Amino acid sequence: MTSAEIIARTLAHEVPIYARWPVAFVRGAGAELWDAEGRRYLDFFAGLAVNNLGHCHPAVVEAVRAQAGRLLHVSNLYHAPPVGELAELLCRHSFAERVFLCNSGAEANEAALKLARRWGHAVGAGRFEILATHNSFHGRTLGALSATGQERYRTGFLPLLPGIRLVPYGDAAAMEAAVRPETVAILVEPIQGEGGVVVPPADYLPRLREIADRHCLLLMLDEIQTGLGRTGRLFAHEHAGIVPDVMTLAKALGGGVPIGALCTSERVARVLEPGAHGTTFGGNLLACAAASAALRVLADPATLAHAVAMGRRLRAGLETLAARHPRIRSIRGMGLMLGAVLDGQGRDIVERCLERGLLVNCTAEVVLRFLPPLVIRPEQIDEGLGILDEAMAG
Ligand code: PLP
């Protein structure tokens, strides 16, 4: 099948909610992809922060192959080894003592919102309100969307859920001022991803932790984009030296296979009893096997050290480009989650990069976003920067 045939078939039958670029990929390895005609592309997007281990990482492929030949699904009425294995690994590598497994980021956040409501009813004297932030992104289900502070995702879907209120991001004083007797939880991203790679002040998360403690709130961190090595630590909150009460994960967790997770403490998990929440495919055996394999590699100090080194190299290269191209106003981000803030819309640059064989993305309209696989090699970073340099020149 040619790329044109693949594209035509999708466009003819899919609900048209995705503004796809006109390329069709058939194969990938590490930070490289190939289209149906065999043309090679360098990937600085990693499937939107999913392919942190690159495409078809051998450990993930092998785990999927082995599990696929053994057992795919048994439901949550029974036990099977991959579930406990992944849950144990997640607890070993984080603050968590309990995990709830699901299928996506929105679903993990939905579980967090329900957990906060349940916590409020169980121990918080009927408190229910969740504070989230402007410019955030937490997913497309109605609950997650109600915590998403960007108008363009909400248009046409009102009314959203009551009991979720938005406050300015990065402003701890505004967060504290917003706390009311009915408030039960705070939900924030450690760095806003879809909002434009917005890094809050260094004391933001520590101050939110203090506020949560002072007012008996749950501090819930959405690490769906920032997690699993993306910022150079396994979880972005580690940079701030704090521990949340709840953390949501998805994207990179499955090494390319869909999975989400809510991680929390024993104390908080206790408010959910059998039957209180659930999902048919939560803890699917194939997804769990893939995730355990991926997590072992992602949590390896060598993987994280490489991500830090590649992040420094990419950032230095972007700073050099910023000095040469006046359209770039500033560079921001952490690790391999970087953004170049432009003086206007960046779609034309993304298009020219694609024509030259480089995948990048533009978010919040004016922020070129760079999310390469953590396993990217130094010469691939340099090659991508070279393509970007040409694309910026027009
Ligand atoms: N939370 C954050 C921070 C995200 O970046 C995303 C997706 O981009 C989501 C939640 C939603 O995840 P999903 O698309 O898997 O539902």
Side-chain angles (χ1 to χ4, degrees):
M1 242 190 184
T2 64
S3 289
E5 285 163 350
I6 297 167
I7 292 165
R9 188 147 80 171
T10 307
L11 292 180
H13 300 289
E14 192 186 46
V15 174
I17 51 173
Y18 299 113
R20 298 180 191 271
W21 291 97
V23 280
F25 296 115
V26 295
R27 190 164 63 85
E32 294 171 327
L33 283 161
W34 286 268
D35 71 11
E37 283 69 38
R39 182 173 180 215
R40 170 186 170 272
Y41 291 78
L42 193 53
D43 188 359
F44 273 25
F45 185 55
L48 222 179
V50 165
N51 303 105
N52 283 12
L53 291 178
H55 298 279
C56 297
H57 189 283
V60 177
V61 171
E62 182 43 42
V64 167
R65 280 211 176 103
Q67 189 61 44
R70 221 178 275 133
L71 191 61
L72 288 174
H73 182 82
V74 289
S75 98
N76 287 315
L77 265 64
Y78 309 102
H79 290 274
V83 180
E85 185 188 357
L86 176 60
E88 184 184 278
L89 266 178
L90 278 168
C91 291
R92 189 187 312 155
H93 289 294
S94 74
F95 71 95
E97 295 163 320
R98 293 272 165 193
V99 302
F100 161 70
L101 298 172
C102 53
N103 306 288
S104 70
E107 205 186 341
N109 284 334
E110 208 62 42
L113 298 173
K114 281 185 73 180
L115 176 59
R117 288 271 162 91
R118 182 52 87 89
W119 169 263
H121 286 290
V123 298
R127 291 184 290 146
F128 60 85
E129 185 185 64
I130 295 143
L131 298 177
T133 58
H134 292 304
N135 198 45
S136 60
F137 186 84
H138 296 293
R140 310 282 196 143
T141 54
L142 273 180
L145 190 60
S146 305
T148 291
Q150 298 190 57
E151 253 348 279
R152 63 200 169 110
Y153 297 113
R154 302 169 148 238
T155 307
F157 296 113
L158 302 182
L160 298 177
L161 284 195
I164 300 179
R165 201 150 46 93
L166 303 175
V167 303
Y169 183 70
D171 183 343
M175 185 65 81
E176 182 146 34
V179 175
R180 301 193 289 211
E182 59 267 40
T183 307
V184 73
I186 293 170
L187 172 65
V188 295
E189 296 156 85
I191 295 174
Q192 289 185 330
E194 300 309 294
V197 193
V198 181
V199 184
D203 66 350
Y204 185 53
L205 291 186
R207 287 184 65 193
L208 292 189
R209 180 68 273 174
E210 284 166 21
I211 294 165
D213 289 342
R214 201 158 37 244
H215 299 278
C216 287
L217 313 176
L218 295 181
L219 179 59
M220 310 200 296
L221 296 183
D222 177 342
E223 291 247 22
I224 287 161
Q225 193 162 143
T226 55
L228 299 158
R230 180 51 57 196
T231 68
R233 303 290 289 263
L234 191 57
F235 304 111
H237 66 261
E238 294 173 18
H239 293 285
I242 59 120
V243 168
D245 300 298
V246 174
M247 168 173 75
T248 50
L249 299 173
K251 291 195 184 281
L253 181 58
V257 174
I259 187 166
L262 174 146
C263 303
T264 190
S265 63
E266 183 75 50
R267 179 181 74 104
V268 176
R270 218 177 287 140
V271 300
L272 295 174
E273 76 288 347
H277 191 57
T279 171
T280 298
F281 277 118
N284 170 263
L285 307 183
L286 190 74
C288 284
S292 289
L295 187 53
R296 279 201 186 85
V297 185
L298 289 165
D300 184 333
T303 306
L304 297 170
H306 182 76
V308 170
M310 293 306 100
R312 286 207 185 106
R313 192 177 188 102
L314 179 55
R315 189 175 193 123
L318 291 172
E319 301 278 5
T320 305
L321 291 190
R324 296 231 314 272
H325 297 285
R327 280 188 72 183
I328 302 180
R329 289 218 167 125
S330 63
I331 305 299
R332 64 192 188 198
M334 277 176 114
L336 280 172
M337 182 174 181
L338 295 170
V341 185
L342 303 172
D343 62 357
Q345 304 239 343
R347 196 185 151 81
D348 59 317
I349 301 170
V350 175
E351 194 167 5
R352 282 198 295 276
C353 284
L354 187 65
E355 284 162 11
R356 290 166 172 77
L358 175 69
L359 305 188
V360 293
N361 140 272
C362 185
T363 189
E365 300 203 340
V366 296
V367 182
L368 283 184
R369 179 170 45 170
F370 307 95
L371 302 164
L374 312 186
V375 297
I376 194 163
R377 297 193 304 268
E379 66 275 16
Q380 292 174 320
I381 296 263
D382 300 346
E383 184 189 346
L385 284 164
I387 296 173
L388 182 63
D389 191 14
E390 273 177 44
M392 294 292 310

Coordinates of all heavy atoms in Angstrom, one line a residue, residues 48 103-107 109 137-141 144 189 191-194 222-226 248 250-251 259 369, ligand 1:
L48 N 3.9 11.9 20.8 CA 3.4 12.8 21.9 C 3.8 12.2 23.3 O 3.0 12.0 24.1 CB 1.9 13.0 21.8 CG 1.5 14.4 22.0 CD1 0.0 14.6 21.9 CD2 2.0 15.1 23.3
N103 N -6.4 2.6 31.2 CA -6.1 2.5 29.8 C -5.5 3.8 29.2 O -5.1 3.8 28.0 CB -7.3 2.0 29.0 CG -7.8 0.8 29.6 OD1 -7.2 -0.3 29.5 ND2 -9.0 0.9 30.3
S104 N -5.7 4.9 29.8 CA -5.3 6.2 29.2 C -5.1 7.2 30.3 O -5.4 7.1 31.4 CB -6.4 6.7 28.2 OG -7.5 7.1 29.0
G105 N -4.5 8.4 29.8 CA -4.3 9.5 30.7 C -5.6 10.1 31.3 O -5.8 10.3 32.5
A106 N -6.6 10.3 30.3 CA -7.8 10.9 30.8 C -8.5 10.0 31.8 O -9.1 10.4 32.8 CB -8.8 11.0 29.6
E107 N -8.4 8.7 31.6 CA -9.0 7.7 32.5 C -8.3 7.7 33.9 O -8.9 7.5 34.9 CB -9.0 6.3 31.9 CG -10.0 5.4 32.4 CD -9.9 4.0 31.9 OE1 -9.2 3.8 30.8 OE2 -10.5 3.1 32.5
N109 N -6.8 10.4 35.1 CA -7.2 11.6 35.8 C -8.7 11.5 36.3 O -9.0 12.1 37.3 CB -7.0 12.8 34.9 CG -5.6 13.2 34.8 OD1 -4.8 12.9 35.7 ND2 -5.2 13.8 33.7
F137 N -3.9 20.9 30.7 CA -4.5 19.8 29.9 C -4.5 18.5 30.7 O -3.5 18.0 31.1 CB -3.8 19.6 28.6 CG -4.5 18.7 27.7 CD1 -5.5 19.1 26.8 CD2 -4.2 17.3 27.6 CE1 -6.3 18.3 26.0 CE2 -4.9 16.4 26.8 CZ -5.9 16.9 26.0
H138 N -5.7 18.0 30.9 CA -5.8 16.7 31.6 C -6.6 15.7 30.9 O -6.8 14.6 31.4 CB -6.5 17.0 33.0 CG -5.7 17.9 33.9 ND1 -4.4 17.6 34.4 CD2 -5.9 19.2 34.3 CE1 -3.9 18.6 35.1 NE2 -4.8 19.6 35.1
G139 N -7.0 15.9 29.7 CA -7.7 14.9 28.9 C -9.0 15.3 28.4 O -9.5 16.4 28.8
R140 N -9.7 14.4 27.7 CA -10.9 14.8 26.9 C -12.2 14.2 27.5 O -13.3 14.5 26.9 CB -10.8 14.3 25.5 CG -9.5 14.7 24.8 CD -9.5 16.1 24.3 NE -8.4 16.3 23.4 CZ -8.6 17.1 22.3 NH1 -9.7 17.8 22.1 NH2 -7.5 17.3 21.5
T141 N -12.1 13.3 28.5 CA -13.4 12.9 29.1 C -14.0 14.1 29.8 O -13.3 15.0 30.1 CB -13.1 11.7 30.0 OG1 -12.2 12.2 31.0 CG2 -12.6 10.5 29.3
A144 N -12.1 15.0 33.1 CA -10.8 15.5 32.8 C -10.8 16.9 32.1 O -10.1 17.8 32.3 CB -10.0 14.5 32.0
E189 N -0.2 19.9 36.6 CA 0.9 19.3 35.9 C 2.2 19.9 36.5 O 2.2 21.2 36.6 CB 0.8 19.6 34.4 CG -0.4 19.1 33.7 CD -0.7 19.9 32.4 OE1 -0.1 19.6 31.4 OE2 -1.5 20.8 32.5
I191 N 4.9 20.4 34.9 CA 5.2 21.4 33.8 C 4.0 21.3 32.8 O 3.6 20.1 32.5 CB 6.5 21.0 33.0 CG1 7.7 21.1 33.9 CG2 6.6 21.9 31.8 CD1 9.0 20.6 33.2
Q192 N 3.4 22.4 32.4 CA 2.3 22.3 31.5 C 2.8 21.9 30.1 O 3.6 22.6 29.5 CB 1.5 23.6 31.5 CG 0.7 23.8 32.8 CD -0.2 25.0 32.7 OE1 0.1 26.0 32.0 NE2 -1.3 25.0 33.4
G193 N 2.3 20.8 29.6 CA 2.8 20.3 28.3 C 2.0 20.9 27.2 O 2.5 21.7 26.4
E194 N 0.7 20.5 27.0 CA -0.1 21.0 25.9 C -0.2 22.6 26.0 O -0.4 23.2 25.0 CB -1.5 20.4 25.9 CG -1.5 18.9 25.8 CD -0.7 18.4 24.6 OE1 -1.1 18.7 23.5 OE2 0.3 17.8 24.9
D222 N -0.5 15.5 37.8 CA -0.7 14.8 36.5 C 0.7 14.7 35.9 O 1.2 15.7 35.3 CB -1.6 15.6 35.7 CG -1.8 15.1 34.3 OD1 -1.0 14.3 33.8 OD2 -2.8 15.5 33.6
E223 N 1.3 13.6 35.9 CA 2.7 13.3 35.3 C 2.6 12.5 34.0 O 3.5 11.8 33.7 CB 3.6 12.6 36.4 CG 3.9 13.5 37.6 CD 5.4 13.8 37.6 OE1 6.1 13.8 36.6 OE2 5.9 14.2 38.7
I224 N 1.4 12.7 33.4 CA 1.2 11.9 32.2 C 2.1 12.3 31.1 O 2.6 11.4 30.4 CB -0.3 12.1 31.8 CG1 -1.2 11.2 32.8 CG2 -0.6 11.6 30.4 CD1 -2.6 11.6 32.8
Q225 N 2.5 13.5 31.0 CA 3.5 14.0 30.0 C 4.9 14.1 30.6 O 5.9 13.8 30.0 CB 3.0 15.3 29.3 CG 3.8 15.6 28.1 CD 3.1 16.6 27.2 OE1 3.8 17.4 26.6 NE2 1.8 16.6 27.0
T226 N 4.9 14.6 31.8 CA 6.2 14.9 32.4 C 6.9 13.7 33.0 O 8.1 13.7 33.3 CB 6.1 15.9 33.6 OG1 5.1 15.4 34.5 CG2 5.6 17.3 33.1
T248 N -0.8 10.7 38.5 CA -1.4 10.0 37.3 C -0.3 9.8 36.3 O 0.5 10.7 36.0 CB -2.6 10.6 36.8 OG1 -2.3 12.0 36.5 CG2 -3.8 10.5 37.7
A250 N 0.5 7.8 32.2 CA 0.0 7.1 31.0 C 1.1 7.2 30.0 O 2.2 6.9 30.3 CB -1.4 7.7 30.5
K251 N 0.7 7.6 28.8 CA 1.7 7.8 27.7 C 2.9 6.8 27.7 O 2.7 5.7 27.2 CB 2.2 9.3 27.8 CG 1.1 10.3 27.4 CD 1.7 11.6 27.1 CE 0.6 12.7 26.8 NZ 0.1 12.6 25.4
I259 N -1.9 2.3 28.2 CA -2.1 2.0 29.6 C -2.0 3.3 30.4 O -1.3 4.2 30.0 CB -1.0 1.0 30.2 CG1 -1.3 0.5 31.6 CG2 0.4 1.5 30.1 CD1 -0.5 -0.7 32.1
R369 N 7.5 22.3 20.1 CA 7.7 21.4 21.2 C 8.6 20.3 20.8 O 8.4 19.7 19.7 CB 6.4 20.9 21.8 CG 6.6 20.0 22.9 CD 5.3 19.7 23.6 NE 4.2 19.4 22.7 CZ 3.0 18.9 23.1 NH1 2.7 18.7 24.3 NH2 2.0 18.7 22.2
Ligands
PLP1 N1 -2.7 14.8 31.0 C1 -1.6 15.4 30.4 C2 -0.6 16.2 31.1 C3 -1.5 15.1 29.0 O1 -0.5 15.7 28.3 C4 -2.4 14.3 28.3 C5 -2.3 14.1 26.9 O2 -1.7 14.8 26.1 C6 -3.5 13.8 29.1 C7 -3.6 14.0 30.4 C8 -4.5 12.9 28.4 O3 -4.0 11.7 28.2 P1 -4.8 10.7 27.1 O4 -4.7 11.3 25.8 O5 -4.0 9.4 27.2 O6 -6.2 10.5 27.6

